[in-house]
Amino acid sequence: MPHTSAKRPKRITILGATGSIGESTLDLVGRNPDDYEVVALTGNKNVARLAELAVRHRAKLAVVADAGSYKDLLLALAGTGIEVAAGPKALLEAASRPADWIMAAIVGVAGLRPTLRAVRQGTAVALANKECLVSGGEIFMREVAAHGTTLLPVDSEHSAAKQAMTGTDLDRIECVCLTASGGPFRTWSAERMASAGPEQALKHPNWSMGAKVTIDSASLMNKGLELIEAHHLFTLPPEKLDVVVHPQSIVHCLVQMTDGAVLAQLSCPDMRTPIAYSLAWPERMHVPNERLDLAKLGSLTFETPDPERFPALRLAKEVLETGGSAGAVLNAANEVAVAAFLENRLGFLGIAGLVETTLADCADLTGLSPESAEDVYEIDEEARRRARDRLPRWAS
Ligand SMILES: NC(=O)c1ccc[n+]([C@@H]2O[C@H](COP(=O)([O-])OP(=O)(O)OC[C@H]3O[C@@H](n4cnc5c(N)ncnc54)[C@H](OP(=O)(O)O)[C@@H]3O)[C@@H](O)[C@H]2O)c1
């Protein structure tokens, strides 16, 4: 009888465990507890939820990025044997703890440093955070190559692109077309959008996600960020990247080959499918979510995005062409704008307005070529400062 050694559990860490992606990842992990050993879970300020997840998934380490939340976390996990830490250094330490697979699901450019630490382990990083590629794509991909890290895209469109592109040489790919749901304002006039508040913008028709990415989806900035992300992930030039609006969110990406064939990946809109693809990679795992029934759906529709009503997509495309640190400026201005919109300090159309003004005001920054994460953060900080200065001009 051949000896069959039991597979050891995969050691995993989740950066941003308390968020929408983090929770969906833990949902999959919790269904197969013997397959995984949870090394570290991190959050920002949501101590109660982090403590609950750490206990349920028997994490070795729980970290809050917010140093002020240390005592609360310590108290919440007292007597559990789970190691507790807080603050930016502890977050980096969590990302550096040896793990076979690390989910990078912190929202915003705040995820850049910890994700780079994860990349430097040279194992596998599942990348949900898109802002770190938008802001520091060149340096990020350089680190991935230098450490031989397996980078697994988690965004449904990029996961779909990876699946459709596998086995085909890059020069045989004519175009990677990302689909966009169009968000809650797809059919709204600009006048109607002008008076939309967070409550309406947060009502995504198909996906349940964190607040920042939901607002980005409503403005179509999300699709612009994803174009930049795809450019870095797949080393594709801007002219080989495109967007089509597909309100049903069933087809996630279409890859046009040079022989005329188009390969697409389809699934019901549930982030657990692309997360599972990255978690089980290079295998597949079982996910108990809704199965696609095309006959029941009846039809799938596609539209060209409207650059007039959704100027954020145009701005991101321009930034993709500019390259350099334009992405860091775009992202910083957008993070400031989305936070202000969520606090009712900026109207919906002011999001793209503020981003456009900031990009114009940062012409001296957009030509720079960041060499390190520190350079990216410096540009990010300066662009944020200028965006905040211009905020009153756009404020509602
Ligand atoms: N949700 C989706 O379906 C989806 C799809 C594709 C891509 N993405 C991308 O994945 C990333 C996460 O999205 P999400 O929807 O999961 O976001 P989310 O629900 O807002 O969760 C964000 C996570 O990051 C933590 N966090 C926030 N600020 C932080 C900081 N300054 N330092 C360290 N941790 C911080 C949060 O902790 P607290 O809970 O303590 O605040 C939470 O764990 C984003 O880049 C998004 O664009 C998301």
Side-chain angles (χ1 to χ4, degrees):
M1 284 276 287
H3 174 73
T4 50
S5 61
K7 244 179 133 179
R8 80 165 165 82
K10 198 182 251 190
R11 296 167 303 165
I12 68 159
T13 281
I14 303 176
L15 307 172
T18 49
S20 164
I21 293 286
E23 294 260 7
S24 294
T25 308
L26 284 169
D27 175 81
L28 297 173
V29 168
R31 291 170 193 275
N32 307 280
D34 296 340
D35 295 347
Y36 305 101
E37 182 186 310
V38 179
V39 176
L41 297 180
T42 81
N44 187 28
K45 289 186 179 178
N46 192 347
V47 168
R49 189 62 186 153
L50 181 65
E52 208 177 316
L53 293 170
V55 170
R56 184 183 309 158
H57 298 281
R58 302 190 304 277
K60 304 255 180 307
L61 170 68
V63 171
V64 268
D66 173 48
S69 299
Y70 176 67
K71 277 193 186 147
D72 290 344
L73 187 63
L74 196 64
L75 204 65
L77 288 174
T80 61
I82 297 170
E83 195 185 335
V84 168
K89 275 195 183 151
L91 190 61
L92 298 184
E93 152 66 12
S96 308
R97 286 266 169 114
D100 305 307
W101 184 92
I102 302 145
M103 167 58 81
I106 291 172
V107 63
V109 80
L112 178 59
R113 270 199 198 101
T115 307
L116 278 174
R117 280 299 180 98
V119 162
R120 286 176 192 146
Q121 289 204 35
T123 52
V125 171
L127 188 67
N129 173 296
K130 55 193 88 187
E131 295 89 347
C132 65
L133 270 185
V134 171
S135 295
E138 271 91 18
I139 62 150
F140 189 89
M141 294 310 289
R142 223 182 290 150
E143 294 268 359
V144 168
H147 296 275
T149 306
T150 300
L151 192 61
L152 300 159
V154 170
D155 243 320
S156 57
E157 298 77 1
H158 304 81
S159 172
K162 180 176 164 58
Q163 293 174 61
M165 287 166 73
T166 296
T168 305
D169 286 344
L170 260 191
D171 62 355
R172 295 289 168 229
I173 289 167
E174 270 181 9
C175 181
V176 169
C177 182
L178 311 177
T179 58
S181 70
F185 304 146
R186 181 175 63 88
T187 57
W188 287 33
S189 66
E191 293 70 36
R192 199 170 163 211
M193 275 192 267
S195 57
E199 206 182 305
Q200 290 139 314
L202 285 168
K203 274 192 195 131
H204 196 283
N206 306 332
W207 298 97
S208 159
M209 311 182 284
K212 157 77 169 46
V213 60
T214 306
I215 302 303
D216 285 345
S217 297
S219 68
L220 287 204
M221 178 61 87
N222 184 48
K223 218 42 59 179
L225 301 181
E226 287 178 4
L227 283 176
I228 302 173
E229 193 185 359
H231 161 70
H232 292 296
L233 280 172
F234 306 121
T235 50
L236 286 166
E239 63 274 16
K240 286 193 172 188
L241 292 165
D242 203 0
V243 170
V244 68
V245 173
H246 166 47
Q248 297 83 18
S249 300
I250 297 292
V251 178
H252 303 293
C253 182
L254 299 136
V255 180
Q256 169 77 61
M257 308 295 179
T258 51
D259 59 5
V262 176
L263 264 60
Q265 186 262 343
L266 287 73
S267 56
C268 294
D270 182 334
M271 281 308 292
R272 288 178 301 172
T273 293
I275 294 170
Y277 181 73
S278 76
L279 185 57
W281 190 91
E283 294 163 21
R284 294 260 180 189
M285 65 192 287
H286 175 73
V287 182
N289 52 10
E290 193 187 346
R291 295 303 187 250
L292 191 55
D293 184 341
L294 287 176
K296 195 168 146 198
L297 267 169
S299 64
L300 298 176
T301 58
F302 300 88
E303 304 161 11
T304 305
D306 179 351
E308 300 301 321
R309 287 183 304 128
F310 298 99
L313 181 58
R314 169 181 56 81
L315 294 173
K317 281 183 176 174
E318 287 167 11
V319 161
L320 175 61
E321 292 283 350
T322 308
S325 54
V329 173
L330 173 90
N331 184 68
N334 185 54
E335 286 194 26
V336 169
V338 171
F341 173 71
L342 285 169
E343 290 164 8
N344 284 309
R345 291 187 293 121
L346 186 67
F348 184 72
L349 299 184
I351 297 176
L354 182 62
V355 172
E356 185 154 25
T357 309
T358 308
L359 278 165
D361 287 352
C362 291
D364 56 324
L365 300 178
T366 51
L368 302 174
S369 298
E371 284 298 317
S372 63
E374 276 54 49
D375 289 350
V376 174
Y377 276 112
E378 259 182 46
I379 294 162
D380 173 88
E381 265 307 305
E382 181 56 21
R384 267 170 212 269
R385 194 189 60 73
R386 294 187 198 180
R388 283 192 205 105
D389 279 355
R390 272 75 178 166
L391 189 55
R393 245 194 263 168
W394 288 97
S396 45

